[in-house]
Amino acid sequence: MRQSEEDREKLGAPPAHDSYLTDGTTVMSWLNTRDHKRVGVMFLAAVVFFLFLGGVFALAIRMKLLYPGPFLFDALTYNRLFTLHGVTMIFLFMIPAIPSAFGNFVLPLMIGARDVAFPRLNLASFYVYLAGAVLAIWAMVHGGADTGWTFYTPYSTTTPTMLFPLLLGVFVLGFSSIMTGINFIVTVHTLRAPGVGWMRLPLFVWSIYATSIIQVLATPVLGLTVLLVALERVLQFGIFDPARGGDPVLFQHFFWFYSHPAVYIMVLPGMAVISECVATFSRKNPFGYKAIAFSSLGIAFVGFFTWGHHLFVAGQSVFDNGVFGVLSMFVGIFTAVKVFNWVGTMYRGAISFKTPFAYICGFLFFLVFGGMTGVALATVALDVHWHDTYFVVAHFHFIMVGAVIMAFLAALHYWFPKMFGRTYHEGWGLVAASLIILGFNATFIPQFLLGNNGMPRRYYQYPEHFQALNVASTAGATLLGFGFVIIFIYLLIALRWGPRCEQNPWRSKGFEWLTESPPPTHNFDRIPHITQDPHDYRTHAPSGVYADV
Amino acid sequence: MSEAAALPPGEHPARGADPHLAHHFSSLERQVDASRLGMWLFLCTEVLLFAGLFTGYAVYRYSFPIAFAASARTSEIWAGTLNTVVLITSSLTVALAIHFVRTGRQRAAVVCLLITLAFALTFLGIKAIEYTAHFHEHQLPGRYYRFEGVRLPGASMYWALYFLMTGLHGLHVLIGMSVLGVIAWRTSRGYYTPHYYVGIELAGLYWHLVDLIWIFLFPLLYLI
Amino acid sequence: MAENGEHHSALPYFLVWVALLILTVTTYVTGRMHLGTWALPLAMIIAVTKSLLVILFFMHLWEQKGANRIVIATSFVFVALIISLTVADVATRFPLSTPAGAPFGTDIPAELEETAPEYQPPAGKIGEPPRGVPQPK
Amino acid sequence: MDRLHYFVILTTFVMSTAVGLTAIFFFILYRRRSETQTTPHIEPAPLLEAAFVIIPLAFFLLWWVMGYRTAIGLATPPADAMDIYVQGKKWMWKFAYPGGPNSVNVLRVPSGRPVRLLMTSRDVIHSFYVPEFRVKQDVLPGRYSQVWFQAVEPGRFQILCAEYCGAGHSIMRGEVIVLKAEEYEDWVSAQHRGLATKQDGPPTALDFAPPLGNLVDQGRRLAQEQGCVKCHSVDGSQHIGPTWLDLYGRRERLSDGRIVNVDEGYITESMMDPFAKIVDGFKPVMPSFANKLAGPEVAAIVEYIKSLQSDAVRTGPSEGPAYAPVRGR
């Protein structure tokens, strides 16, 4: 990022004034910034690092599973690896990935604001995130915990591994998540530019808004839960201790009250990205704008009523199983509405098959398949067979890796020119996209079969007749890893040497493209007055005019 | 929200000379609205933080009704009641402080805030006396429970929840006290004016929340 | 600061305070009366009334924007949600799940002694392995 | 249940494929033809949006009705079910038959008869899972959970633990042996006479020998056979190795200064890898018993050691807890 100035001289086309990237180039100007765009970029760098770390853990796990017996490392290491894989991917990558990185960057641009409502809180959110990450890494370096990312009691209250710093890390990360959530909600409420009514908010903003609601409502419960586990470990308060009348299943209620909505904290931003990208690359107004917008809120709301479907065989009452079963079905409906409307957006559009669009296709397939298997899992009787098997593993990886990482990569490719003012190599982009989609299917479709045949999750050793499918899955994972490496390389190259792009390379009519790429520090010299709905492709006229023009 | 009011009056550095107005807000009114909404959202997270404990209470109260009722009867009811009165009154003084700032009587506001701090200290003092009594009686959570008066299964769970809930609430009292302390100092330095007093207002909101939670803790832990 | 000019006297705050004190005394007195089943609902009704007084007048929600009202209302809805669905689970569990004689045992409430719903096993063969599973010899 | 299974999987496939195909179809049909192309503004008809809601909702609710009815069935054992008590612990399954024998990791049931398992755990949460029977239920400490099944044909089916429970989670496996009704009766009476012989054919990796009598007796016999008692006394006197009396639950100081709680895990580890933790004051001379003892044998020895308490509270076979019979009939 430091290179911009010299490059600009080389290219001989100096922009009108400094972009946010060049407005102060010292390290401190980054670390002490109040600029939402810089915070976003710092978040992006951090989450990419943790994606890499989590990916390494995942590959190690897959390598071990090549053989049914002990191999490479022992059971304890294996257990620690999958715990760390889960914690890293979920708390350090998935939850902040799209909202904190891309949300921070483009959300204020999209509503025509000069910054988020509380810029200092925003920066604090990043540092709190780093603090949580450091605690988690510290726990990992000192041996790591072996409870799985779910921390189920009483195993988590009795295991001798380094759980305490990990719990503390998760607790601290929760604060970061809450800060970001509060910031976005307030930003959307108070900082919309003139002309941006609620029904003109870009769909990305709607989804991030819904995400923020979940972050604010659910995260405190997780904070309390990990606090209780930590207290139970240190002081033996006995809240979840069966010997004192405590109920381990209560922990699961608490945990999933956060963690099921947390799935939507991860998926909704993915849907946000897709809503934008589908419109841009189909060059068409979103089909059923209101349906997509309100289904985001619907998911945020109903997402809270479904946590019990993780407890169907955990000793939850049959009555609650039924209630949670039927409530879970409704989340599927909102997702279905979104999917149909995205496909509808393509109808009579003008589709260009660029790299982000490849990821959209991947996303649609993974989300529908992953989502439908999710609803299938919420069908109480079927869950009895599938629960805690690789079927579940494959299902949530379809949603989280399949859908969310596809959306993350789509966002990365879609907004890369916006963020850095440069373009990447389109050909390599498509190669990597196809590798990733292929590798992903090869990794997780065998896992569906494994789970259906009865292989439980978190198994270090497994019965031999599962080996063939496990090998297939590992092969797919390797392919997936290669895809990520390719992306990493060509994006790094693009960051340094990529050709400069114009202000709006996709000719998108999303509001964030109304300013330069990369944007100047205060986003807009003059706040635009928005006169059109987002993604109105009936005309070529810009979607806003400047207030005093 | 009125769209017309949000129209920026031209280049941003030139907008008025209000030192409180941040560069990205179009008007001070909107900035204050943002701060208030942010605070309410934060209070919402606080409510949900306690929701977990209330759920734990509900579940174990359902499981061990007799033990909970018996244990509640051995708690220091006088202290709980007194503390309720103390907190409600401190809530009043905070509300009055904001009222005085709004009407331009800074000195009265500072006095109100100091009274609030005194009430908060009283609350913690009473709480400390209570805790000491419970420690002496071994009315303690989990494996430390050795109270002779109530030997029912589930009684230790009552005390676990008692200490968790009052402890977390006490922590909030402490945080609230430090916030109010800073606010009192700032008020005495004339930082808040009838024109701009959002800081003291937000601190007040936090303190009222502390009161609010106690209003629920009191009957649950002491009375029934 | 829209409400700046028309600001009134401090009297309403004192009125609310007196009301809160009266309610505190009420809940204390009724709490000492051991009303059985009604003790909890009554105490909760009083607590909710008190909290409404605090929220609406001390916290000025009465005169604030809609968004703030929605926020606090939502948080209470979700508190109710987590409590009700979790307690519903504990209240309707398999009756034997905490048998008599357990170290912390509870008695099974009488209303749970009801009969299990009438059920015929499904028609399909239960022991049949799903397709694709190697049959153990 | 199988019908539901296939119905659900089929709809899932049809839906994903349909969405994927539509996307591809649209892509081909509406390729971008020029860089400056404009498109019409299309708002969906309300009826269409309603269809987007109602059609999946109808399917999902159908799934739910079918699934929940089956689930109630899975949760409701018939009145004539035979009860067997199950205890899960790290990392083995113990089965106790009312008035009958105990066994570790091998559950024998008659075919054609509903069996109800009443399960609890001694330490952490486990989950009893027999993939072929499509049953799974978490086994919780401090609580009892139940699961029932009816095996149709004789055969052998693997029991897996499906809830993560620690280092041995993946090897916490057992086996259900479904016998013909008369064979089962024979086996039970043989158990009562103490004359059981192996009836399971050639041994396999899964073929754990069913213990005779109770675990403690078996452990005592094994400890003599394997020579454990040559070094470890059972009366409290110190010998080459630490005494076994009151060993379980003791806090031992190790040679490197650490303190360990003697629990099942530690005892097992000491048998398998004796040099990992040497108790202070003893020499590292014990041979490893890895590959010499099968899982249930280790369990038996551990149980025996656990029974050696001076206040003798832990002796005797595990008895099923006192249950009320199945309600409702």
Side-chain angles (χ1 to χ4, degrees), chain A residues 187-236:
Chain A
T187 306
V188 173
H189 271 270
T190 56
L191 283 174
R192 281 170 290 132
V196 189
W198 282 96
M199 280 303 124
R200 250 190 206 167
L201 283 179
L203 287 171
F204 180 85
V205 178
W206 269 112
S207 269
I208 295 285
Y209 180 74
T211 311
S212 306
I213 293 176
I214 307 179
Q215 284 179 319
V216 168
L217 285 171
T219 318
V221 179
L222 175 78
L224 180 87
T225 312
V226 294
L227 208 63
L228 288 180
V229 174
L231 277 179
E232 178 122 17
R233 278 180 73 83
V234 178
L235 296 171
Q236 278 136 5

Side-chain angles (χ1 to χ4, degrees), chain A residues 505-525:
Chain A
W506 312 116
R507 289 162 190 271
S508 166
K509 289 190 83 177
F511 300 154
E512 75 273 25
W513 300 98
L514 280 176
T515 183
E516 289 149 46
S517 310
T521 308
H522 288 302
N523 296 354
F524 301 98
D525 290 333

Side-chain angles (χ1 to χ4, degrees), chain D residues 252-260 266 269 275-282:
Chain D
E252 289 275 36
R253 174 179 295 280
L254 300 184
S255 51
D256 57 4
R258 283 182 296 167
I259 307 276
V260 290
Y266 170 76
E269 186 192 43
F275 298 165
K277 296 186 178 111
I278 303 292
V279 177
D280 199 19
F282 291 94

Side-chain angles (χ1 to χ4, degrees), chain A residues 75-76 79 82 146-148 152-155 158 242 247-249 252 280-288 291 313-315 318-319 321-322 325-326 329-330 332-333 336-337 339-341 343 346-353 357 364-365 368-369 372-373 375-376 379-389 451-454 456-463 465 507 536-540, chain D residues 1 4-5 8-9 11-13 15-17 19-20 22-24 26-28 30-45 48-49 51-54 56-58 60-61 63-64 66-68 70-72 74-75 90-91 123-125 127 129-132 134-143 145 158-173:
Chain A
L76 235 111
N79 295 343
F82 74 66
D146 69 337
T147 58
Y152 270 19
T153 53
Y155 188 76
T158 51
D247 182 0
V249 179
Q252 298 175 23
T280 295
F281 290 93
S282 308
R283 185 162 288 185
K284 186 98 178 323
N285 69 312
F287 187 78
V313 302
V318 182
F319 167 76
N321 284 355
V326 71
M329 300 294 165
F330 288 95
I333 301 303
V337 168
V339 170
F340 290 140
N341 280 300
V343 177
M346 298 180 197
Y347 172 66
R348 294 186 61 194
I351 300 170
S352 91
F353 199 89
F357 194 83
L364 282 180
F365 172 71
V368 174
F369 200 83
M372 296 280 283
T373 48
V375 180
T379 310
V380 188
L382 294 178
D383 184 62
V384 170
H385 179 62
W386 285 333
H387 183 81
D388 268 339
T389 65
N452 198 35
N453 293 354
R457 66 194 283 204
R458 296 174 174 178
Y459 256 32
Y460 171 68
Q461 299 179 42
Y462 54 86
H465 55 263
R507 289 162 190 271
D536 185 346
Y537 288 101
R538 280 174 294 189
T539 65
H540 292 295
Chain D
M1 183 158 175
L4 174 67
H5 191 137
V8 166
I9 288 181
T11 32
T12 305
F13 265 113
M15 271 310 304
S16 338
T17 324
V19 169
T22 322
I24 291 170
F26 280 168
F27 169 61
I28 294 169
Y30 306 116
R31 280 187 321 277
R32 187 170 296 183
R33 292 185 168 83
S34 85
E35 267 307 300
T36 52
Q37 199 173 348
T38 54
T39 55
H41 183 85
I42 298 175
E43 284 286 335
L48 188 61
E49 288 292 349
F52 286 169
V53 172
I54 291 167
L57 185 64
F60 291 165
L61 286 182
W63 289 7
W64 177 72
M66 292 168 74
Y68 192 46
T70 318
I72 292 175
L74 286 174
K90 287 178 185 172
W91 290 283
D123 35 43
V124 300
I125 301 176
S127 189
Y129 179 34
V130 183
E132 283 85 348
R134 304 266 170 77
V135 292
K136 184 185 289 132
Q137 177 64 50
D138 279 13
V139 181
L140 300 153
R143 257 180 66 185
S145 50
Q158 206 165 25
I159 302 169
L160 302 163
C161 174
E163 184 61 64
Y164 174 67
C165 57
H169 168 54
S170 64
I171 47 171
M172 184 170 167
R173 299 184 210 159

Side-chain angles (χ1 to χ4, degrees), chain C residues 16-131:
Chain C
V16 170
W17 177 63
V18 170
L20 287 172
L21 286 184
I22 292 172
L23 284 170
T24 306
V25 172
T26 320
T27 191
Y28 177 78
V29 171
T30 53
R32 305 294 286 162
M33 278 157 57
H34 304 308
L35 292 174
T37 324
W38 293 102
L40 184 67
L42 185 66
M44 283 297 101
I45 287 170
I46 294 176
V48 167
T49 317
K50 284 165 79 178
S51 61
L52 278 179
L53 284 175
V54 171
I55 290 174
L56 288 180
F57 300 107
F58 280 177
M59 298 168 94
H60 300 116
L61 199 64
W62 193 255
E63 54 197 59
Q64 277 179 17
K65 281 195 193 302
N68 300 356
R69 297 187 196 179
I70 293 174
V71 166
I72 202 74
T74 314
S75 68
F76 278 101
V77 167
F78 280 85
V79 173
L81 172 75
I82 183 173
I83 293 180
S84 56
L85 280 176
T86 310
V87 174
D89 168 30
V90 180
T92 57
R93 266 178 197 165
F94 162 51
L96 293 181
S97 61
T98 36
F104 47 86
T106 54
D107 287 331
I108 300 159
E111 66 269 21
L112 293 180
E113 301 270 41
E114 292 164 8
T115 55
E118 196 68 31
Y119 177 74
Q120 293 298 315
K125 288 184 206 159
I126 292 171
E128 208 168 71
R131 194 171 296 167

